Amino acid sequence: TPSSAGNRKTWTWSSWVKRSKLSQTQGVFTGNDLEFYLSGSNILGAQDDGGSVYLSSAVLRDTSAFYHLVIKFDAANTSVNVYLNGVDIDLPTKNISNNDYSVNNTVSHYIGSRNNNIDKFYGYMAEINFIDGYKTGSTVATHDDFGELKNGLWIPKAYTGNYGTNGFHLTFSNASDL
């Protein structure tokens, strides 16, 4: 839970996810007003605080592969972009003037579940980054800040921008293993 409201209107979330269970609703990332999840049909979806549901056509059903998921919210352009392995997918957007999508607030956030800690994620998450605001100046972090195409494969790369007031990087490393 952030200790201050932070930027609230511009943010980017990135993670590599590998599923171990299919055909069950599983939360990926939830903030104040917006939930991202995998539906029981293995489709990536979002739900806002008003109950509106937005489903993409992206199906994540390969339990042997890591997927790179990036969610970029930019209030200045009233847009939510979702990238899967470097490709902008067709998750619908909406007008955000009513403060929807302001995930960076002083309320609980969830990684690997939905609001109220339901619909747990089954699988692995790695290299989680949350950018609160802009990576530099007025530039919003996007998919190519966390991954790149090499020899036809989308692979991770280290993020080098700012994290902002409530931003973070979860490495999931254990200092005793180093």
Side-chain angles (χ1 to χ4, degrees), residues 93-104:
T93 61
K94 64 179 260 185
N95 182 314
I96 55 168
S97 61
N98 64 356
N99 292 330
D100 279 348
Y101 307 139
S102 58
V103 303
N104 202 11

Side-chain angles (χ1 to χ4, degrees), residues 15-80:
S15 180
W16 290 80
V17 298
K18 182 178 180 184
R19 303 186 68 195
S20 63
K21 193 177 211 179
L22 300 176
S23 304
Q24 179 176 337
T25 301
Q26 299 175 41
V28 175
F29 173 69
T30 299
N32 182 40
D33 297 326
L34 188 60
E35 301 175 351
F36 285 91
Y37 61 93
L38 295 162
S39 74
S41 301
N42 306 310
I43 296 173
L44 183 65
Q47 182 171 348
D48 67 21
D49 64 341
S52 297
V53 174
Y54 308 95
L55 295 175
S56 74
S57 60
V59 180
L60 287 77
R61 61 177 162 244
D62 184 351
T63 57
S64 68
F66 268 95
Y67 295 98
H68 184 221
L69 180 61
V70 175
I71 303 162
K72 179 191 78 145
F73 175 72
D74 183 2
N77 296 311
T78 63
S79 66
V80 175

Side-chain angles (χ1 to χ4, degrees), residues 107-137:
V107 297
S108 295
H109 290 58
Y110 301 91
I111 296 172
S113 69
R114 294 176 72 188
N115 266 342
N116 300 317
N117 216 16
I118 61 170
D119 296 331
K120 299 211 185 287
F121 179 79
Y122 291 92
Y124 302 93
M125 290 188 173
E127 281 298 310
I128 296 176
N129 287 276
F130 181 77
I131 313 309
D132 175 17
Y134 301 98
K135 70 175 184 176
T136 56

